[in-house]
Amino acid sequence: MNNIDTVAVIGLGYIGLPTAAILASNGLNVVGVDVNEETVKSVNRGDVPFVEPDLAAYVSGAVSLKNLQATTEMPAAQAYIVAVPTPFQTDRSADLSYIRAAAEAIAPKLRGGELVILESTSPPGTTQFLGDFLVNLRPDLTLDGADGKPEIHVAHCPERVLPGRIMVELVTNDRIVGGLTATAAQLAKSLYSVFCQGKILLTDAATAEMAKLVENSYRDVNIAFANELSVISDKLGINVWELIELANHHPRVDILKPGPGVGGHCIAVDPWFIIAAAPEEARLIRQARETNDAKPNWVVNKVADLLADYISPTVAVLGLAFKANIDDLRESPAVDIVENLSRKLDGSRILVVEPHVQSLPRTLAGLANVTLGDLGPSLAAADAVVLLVDHDSFKEIHKEELSGKHLVDTRGIWN
Ligand code: SAJ
């Protein structure tokens, strides 16, 4: 099969929908598949169910050209791109149930010759698991043409795009493609070449799986170093922002920024897949996770110490998102900090300011001493101001609005 022109993209989330839209806008016939009927309806109207710059234009354009449609039913296609969640379970091993469910829906549609691509971030061995699972369901097919039976081509092509820049990075980033066979890798490369202007680098599936996990672990380890420096500097009475700025003048030093902890659905999750695969060996990676996971509690204790003499302090907390200028609260350390502050500071009033959300998330909505407020009045009422996210709007706060208040700036914007 050389020319793929019908593609099914399974999972219309942060990665699946942009991938479906960009393939469709390059002339392919794309069907997006999702279990959520609201998502399907919204895409078929040409709408996007979450915030991502430029995505809405791609989706509405592709839907109006009839190159993109969404459905809850798996169609027959020449290529299937699986972009479903791979969350971790309570023991922090990966939950592959969404991949299994996608394979069960794809298997009856296969005739032989199709390409099946796993895009979801996955522990090493998952692409092989997917391939084996498919041929178990379809013993008339093979992964390598053995016994003269028709083959299906299975590959891993992990996404590496940054939320907030997805439509740009889908086109410009280099991609890694790992095939269960060399033919599968080549076929996947030809499909991604339709929109990817970066290099497309071929390898085996397990190496491609690890490459994705390693990229996010590399960032996690480096952020942990910065977070550890911030805790050490605080103990020694040193300004960590000045320290890092100075050290980064060295030509081979590039320290990342400390923060209130690491959030999002990738960097706080993916390293655990490596740790689960090699628990004895992945010691630095585990320590980095633990260091970053400990940072929210360190911030809570810092605020509590500053307010130890107050009976009923008012605290303005600035930011809930997991990073600047987005509305995404997934795994956000800021949400944990507010929840724990609310319990720790008995009798306190916590005014949360998050310009990117309309209401508090479920974990905070039930807490009697936590409310969502506007910036000006919250600052005016506060005994302490705790900055958790470096949203642009917070950078415009005037110094006078903060004078006389206890400040905990976890992002260094008032440095
Ligand atoms: N953070 C810091 N200090 C820093 C940089 C980040 O504390 O110096 C924190 C952020 O505040 C945030 C967390 O780390 O809480 C993660 O933010 P991020 O911008 O580093 O990354 P994500 O999660 O938005 O996207 C990452 C990217 N991976 C890498 O840069 C190696 C992206 O390219 C991946 O595609 C994405 O994960 C993913 O989907 O895996």
Side-chain angles (χ1 to χ4, degrees):
M1 180 174 45
N2 291 320
N3 292 322
I4 295 170
D5 53 32
T6 64
V7 181
V9 178
I10 300 100
L12 294 176
Y14 286 82
I15 299 305
L17 185 54
T19 304
I22 207 152
L23 282 166
S25 68
N26 279 281
L28 273 71
N29 182 9
V30 181
V31 180
V33 187
D34 203 286
V35 288
N36 184 330
E37 288 189 12
E38 288 312 310
T39 301
V40 166
K41 279 187 201 152
S42 140
V43 171
N44 283 332
R45 281 195 309 268
D47 292 339
V48 175
F50 52 87
V51 177
E52 179 60 39
D54 301 333
L55 177 59
Y58 275 91
V59 170
S60 62
V63 168
S64 64
L65 285 173
K66 301 205 183 321
N67 284 350
L68 174 63
Q69 55 169 305
T71 168
T72 53
E73 298 296 318
M74 187 67 66
Q78 292 169 299
Y80 297 86
I81 297 180
V82 178
V84 296
T86 43
F88 59 33
Q89 312 182 83
T90 38
D91 67 354
R92 293 200 172 113
S93 63
D95 171 3
L96 302 184
S97 58
Y98 298 96
I99 294 181
R100 220 177 280 125
E104 279 164 352
I106 293 169
K109 303 291 174 185
L110 297 171
R111 283 172 289 216
E114 292 89 348
L115 172 64
V116 180
I117 296 177
L118 178 64
E119 273 227 18
S120 314
T121 303
S122 301
T126 309
T127 311
Q128 186 68 53
F129 162 81
L130 170 62
D132 292 344
F133 194 76
L134 284 169
V135 293
N136 266 335
L137 293 169
R138 288 292 304 272
D140 54 321
L141 301 172
T142 61
L143 297 173
D144 55 7
D147 304 331
K149 289 184 191 171
E151 48 190 320
I152 48 165
H153 308 285
V154 180
H156 183 51
C157 184
E159 60 80 15
R160 302 151 95 196
V161 286
L162 194 71
R165 283 177 48 81
I166 291 179
M167 300 318 289
V168 176
E169 291 202 358
L170 268 179
V171 176
T172 58
N173 282 4
D174 293 346
R175 293 214 62 144
I176 298 173
V177 173
L180 289 187
T181 61
T183 312
Q186 279 298 346
L187 284 169
K189 179 178 179 173
S190 68
L191 179 58
Y192 283 92
S193 304
V194 166
F195 63 84
C196 175
Q197 291 169 10
K199 293 192 189 95
I200 300 180
L201 309 156
L202 304 190
T203 181
D204 59 82
T207 307
E209 289 158 346
M210 267 303 269
K212 166 66 200 232
L213 302 177
V214 161
E215 289 161 14
N216 281 350
S217 298
Y218 170 86
R219 198 153 167 83
D220 198 43
V221 168
N222 281 282
I223 298 169
F225 182 70
N227 277 332
E228 187 164 296
L229 286 183
S230 75
V231 173
I232 295 170
S233 299
D234 187 73
K235 183 171 182 174
L236 303 182
I238 288 171
N239 179 328
V240 70
W241 307 100
E242 185 191 1
L243 172 70
I244 291 175
E245 207 272 322
L246 291 172
N248 280 351
H249 278 271
H250 186 287
R252 284 174 297 285
V253 174
D254 189 10
I255 303 170
L256 291 180
K257 296 191 178 82
V262 167
H265 48 297
C266 308
I267 295 187
V269 175
D270 298 356
W272 288 114
F273 295 168
I274 300 182
I275 298 164
E280 295 301 320
E281 294 78 8
R283 291 163 60 181
L284 178 63
I285 296 170
R286 178 194 294 273
Q287 183 56 56
R289 264 303 57 245
E290 287 171 358
T291 299
N292 286 332
D293 273 355
K295 194 71 193 293
N297 211 30
W298 184 86
V299 175
V300 169
N301 289 335
K302 183 94 202 143
V303 178
D305 286 351
L306 280 174
L307 296 173
D309 295 337
Y310 287 72
I311 293 162
S312 52
T314 299
V315 183
V317 174
L318 308 191
L320 274 187
F322 85 82
K323 65 178 186 177
N325 305 323
I326 59 167
D327 64 350
D328 194 338
L329 307 187
R330 283 177 297 172
E331 311 286 334
S332 177
V335 174
D336 279 358
I337 289 172
V338 172
E339 189 179 357
N340 289 326
L341 263 183
S342 130
R343 296 190 208 289
K344 183 140 188 151
L345 294 179
D346 227 7
S348 66
R349 195 157 64 108
I350 299 179
L351 310 173
V352 176
V353 182
E354 177 46 82
H356 299 277
V357 303
Q358 309 302 320
S359 56
L360 287 172
R362 206 159 31 90
T363 40
L364 304 182
L367 302 172
N369 58 345
V370 178
T371 47
L372 193 62
D374 290 330
L375 182 58
S378 301
L379 289 178
D383 298 304
V385 181
V386 183
L387 180 101
L388 298 181
V389 187
D390 45 345
H391 289 318
D392 287 346
S393 52
F394 297 153
K395 294 182 181 158
E396 283 153 24
I397 294 170
H398 291 292
K399 273 209 166 100
E400 307 81 70
E401 291 180 271
L402 302 174
S403 83
K405 300 178 191 299
H406 296 283
L407 299 181
V408 176
D409 174 5
T410 66
R411 300 282 185 174
I413 70 169
W414 299 322
N415 179 33

